[in-house]
Amino acid sequence: MTKEQRERLIAKYLEGTITEEESSLLETWLKDNSHNRRELKQYVWLWDRSNTFHFPKNLDIERDLATVHEKVGIRKRGKRINVSVFQLVAALLVFGLLLSGTYYLIFSKQLRIDQDGYYQQVTAAFGTRATVDLADGTQVILNSGSTLKFPGKFTDKNSRHVSLEGEAFFKVKENKAKPFWVNVGKLDVKVLGTSFNVQEYALKQSVDITLVEGRVGIYSASHGRDERILTLLPSEIAHFDGKKNTLQKESVTNMGKYIGWVDGKLIFEDDPMDNVIRKMENWYNVDIVIRNKELLSYRFTGTFINESIDQVLSFFSQTSPLFYEIQPSSQDPDGNYHKRVVILSLTNKNELPMN
């Protein structure tokens, strides 16, 4: 049985349209080995949860899938064919399994908060961006791997509240009677009608808030919302260091460095290697290993639009003594796929001992 035939049988099994003859073929395949049975369980698991997947309203499937294909190193082959809605869902399930343990589809779920309301939780898949339209008309663009928690309806008469983990660009619908609050780690951000970017670095316990237009007030989440500790004006950025518990701001000369990701741009501007690694790990969903700590002293500049990680690293290797190796994603005995691993070194990997 070919891979295509197997996937077609599984799709018909999930839809409930499989014939007796086809069911017999599938049963024979399942009895062949335990890996096959485990694979079917993964399909069933994804299928059962497919009704919780959340997709942006303006979904361009071909564009988004092509972007993901490019980032995970899949090359398009063969001619283009027309598919039914069910075939598309089946294809997404197959693709989801291919990236199991490495990527996850955009999903949404409800979290009970009290007797009267629910919070929605939306997470953008690694390597993609997701647009969320809130009930009040506010638009939020989530960056790769980021999570937004928000109510289905803003029932509070005096304010609107959401919570962010990761990075997001907000276009807040103005309502002077109901300020919009974003909780991100140890900070609360208050806005009325404003466009701004929030980026949280969980491991570093730090947050960057970049204001494009409007005005925002920044408050300490632990001290309540009665005392503002900083005000941002357009083209200013606030840097919060959670470890030192310090907050400072500066003017932004190149706004694209902080919000270019909204338009699919990966931008570095004299960034140190640790920042480059953090951005690329999140952008391409890879693990990056440094074999020589001297690389941490290098800084990089460049703007990339829809380039693969191989293209980005190839560019950097032309401007610095950087060597790289990209190891493909691997599958463990349980059938789970792991991230690709990128190894960076200053010399050929065979000549350089591991530190």
Side-chain angles (χ1 to χ4, degrees), residues 89-332:
V89 172
L92 285 174
L93 289 175
V94 171
F95 188 63
L97 281 177
L98 171 66
L99 303 176
S100 175
T102 309
Y103 281 69
Y104 52 92
L105 293 174
I106 299 168
F107 68 87
S108 173
K109 63 181 180 180
Q110 289 186 325
L111 306 172
R112 187 76 180 186
I113 56 171
D114 54 40
Q115 293 181 347
D116 302 316
Y118 289 86
Y119 258 66
Q120 287 284 114
Q121 176 174 301
V122 175
T123 299
F126 282 104
T128 65
R129 300 178 301 279
T131 299
V132 183
D133 295 316
L134 303 183
D136 66 333
T138 293
Q139 185 179 78
V140 184
I141 303 173
L142 290 174
N143 203 355
S144 168
S146 301
T147 297
L148 180 73
K149 296 178 183 178
F150 58 96
K153 294 182 179 180
F154 292 102
T155 56
D156 191 314
K157 295 181 179 180
N158 300 314
S159 60
R160 297 165 286 171
H161 304 269
V162 301
S163 177
L164 173 70
E165 295 177 8
E167 183 172 21
F169 184 80
F170 291 83
K171 298 179 183 178
V172 177
K173 182 72 173 180
E174 184 174 3
N175 185 339
K176 294 182 179 179
K178 297 179 64 171
F180 191 93
W181 290 86
V182 180
N183 172 256
V184 53
K186 297 180 179 180
L187 299 181
D188 284 327
V189 183
K190 178 184 178 182
V191 302
L192 294 176
T194 301
S195 296
F196 65 104
N197 192 79
V198 180
Q199 184 174 36
E200 176 194 26
Y201 308 102
L203 294 178
K204 290 187 174 183
Q205 299 181 37
S206 63
V207 179
D208 285 347
I209 302 169
T210 309
L211 183 60
V212 177
E213 61 181 13
R215 185 173 180 152
V216 304
I218 301 175
Y219 299 72
S220 170
S222 60
H223 293 164
R225 296 171 175 173
D226 297 326
E227 183 179 351
R228 182 168 53 204
I229 55 179
L230 190 67
T231 298
L232 279 186
L233 299 178
S235 297
E236 289 184 339
I237 180 172
H239 302 283
F240 174 70
D241 187 328
K243 294 181 179 179
K244 298 179 180 179
N245 202 34
T246 59
L247 181 65
Q248 56 185 0
K249 70 176 179 179
E250 63 177 302
S251 297
V252 176
T253 56
N254 180 11
M255 189 68 71
K257 178 179 178 179
Y258 301 97
I259 65 172
W261 66 267
V262 175
D263 298 317
K265 298 177 182 178
L266 181 61
I267 300 176
F268 303 104
E269 189 179 80
D270 196 33
D271 283 4
M273 175 58 82
D274 58 346
N275 283 359
V276 172
I277 289 174
R278 174 180 46 76
K279 286 184 180 180
M280 293 186 69
E281 284 184 328
N282 189 54
W283 192 268
Y284 294 103
N285 193 33
V286 297
D287 286 328
I288 297 180
V289 177
I290 291 185
R291 302 183 79 180
N292 191 318
K293 293 181 180 179
E294 290 180 27
L295 278 172
L296 295 175
S297 64
Y298 284 82
R299 308 180 77 91
F300 297 90
T301 297
T303 298
F304 307 93
I305 304 175
N306 294 327
E307 274 89 354
S308 67
I309 188 171
D310 183 73
Q311 292 172 312
V312 175
L313 291 173
S314 176
F315 173 81
F316 285 154
S317 69
Q318 295 173 28
T319 59
S320 67
L322 172 70
F323 288 81
Y324 68 92
E325 175 189 352
I326 302 177
Q327 298 179 348
S329 59
S330 58
Q331 187 177 23
D332 62 27

